[in-house]
Amino acid sequence: METTVDVAPGIRLWAQDLPAATDAPEPDPVLLVMGANASGLLWPDELVARLAERHRVIRYDHRDTGRSTWAFDEHPYAIAELARDAVAVLDAFDVPRAHVVGMSLGGVLGQLLLLDAPERVATATLFCTAALGGYGSPDLPAPSPALLALWEQMADPRDLEAELDWRVAHWRLLNGTGTPFDADWFRALERRAIEHAGRHDTTAAHARASQDGLERGAELAAVEVPTLVVEAPEDPVNPPPHSGHLARSLGRGRLVRIPGMGHAVNRTVVAPLAAAVLTQTSGAHSRG
């Protein structure tokens, strides 16, 4: 089921609710929270299908992505407001709490949910992300220079095929060299996201949004919600020191490593990532 969710005056989000493919009593749903400037359609269907074997799955488009409202220049916002949007999506589907799975910026938003709305989070799985306030330490590296240079071009005007070329080049850097890179697969993924949005440009709104309210790393120690941090050893955005730092910062954090994974959910890592999420949502990791 698809719907729209009003989160602020003049701001509406697209959201999709996918039923579990099981007749067993339904556990808490899974809420997928995507990264910056990225539509919810960039969650690969292969991953969604694996999670839907046991869970109802909800995914959505952030503001200024996909079919949600694109209006940052008229209605600027802080990154922290995107976490409140996630709660509004749960409210729209009458979901009292969910297993939150956040990638990259979605992992930052997941941390804000753990701090500000812990009663809405059954468990959390965070990956390809950094702890709140984590870039303040010299021991925690910044994204690779090659990525920073490419990001400078993110909002440049391009025709459709040139935009697809840019996005595939971006995924190539994000993927790293630890797993095979399938350019055709990523091109098809992005073409589908563009068709979903009805436009191929990007305003890079999340890169321009205020980061006020994100310096809250010290509060993570009080988090009581079980949280899994997935370490992606080839991640060029948030290299491995970030994942370990986040897991140690959390009151109930634990760390697992997916060999070869970069800052991308490609076909190679779908199975181990889904297995890690489902182990977390089932609580199996806490049983002897």
Side-chain angles (χ1 to χ4, degrees), residues 11 16 21 29-30 39 42 44 66 107 135 153 162 164 196 204 235 262-263:
I11 307 296
Q16 183 182 46
V30 168
S39 161
L42 290 179
Y135 285 116
Q153 307 167 11
L164 284 166
H196 165 76
D235 185 351
H263 199 92

Side-chain angles (χ1 to χ4, degrees), residues 78-81 83 105 108-109 111-112 115 130-134 209-220:
I79 291 295
E81 292 183 58
L105 174 67
V108 172
L109 303 183
Q111 293 171 65
L112 292 174
L115 294 178
L132 293 171
S210 169
Q211 298 195 20
D212 290 349
L214 299 186
E215 296 294 326
R216 301 177 62 186
E219 299 176 46
L220 295 173

Side-chain angles (χ1 to χ4, degrees), residues 22-92:
T22 176
D23 294 329
E26 186 173 310
D28 293 314
V30 168
L31 177 69
L32 299 177
V33 188
M34 185 34 83
N37 305 299
S39 161
L41 263 287
L42 290 179
W43 290 104
D45 283 346
E46 296 94 328
L47 176 66
V48 173
R50 286 176 180 264
L51 298 180
E53 290 174 4
R54 287 180 18 205
H55 292 277
R56 174 184 174 191
V57 179
I58 298 169
R59 59 180 170 179
Y60 67 100
D61 292 338
H62 294 298
R63 306 181 191 199
D64 293 280
T65 74
R67 293 184 183 171
S68 294
T69 302
W70 294 50
F72 181 81
D73 291 331
E74 295 78 27
H75 302 285
Y77 48 83
I79 291 295
E81 292 183 58
L82 300 180
R84 293 191 282 275
D85 289 353
V87 174
V89 170
L90 293 180
D91 289 342

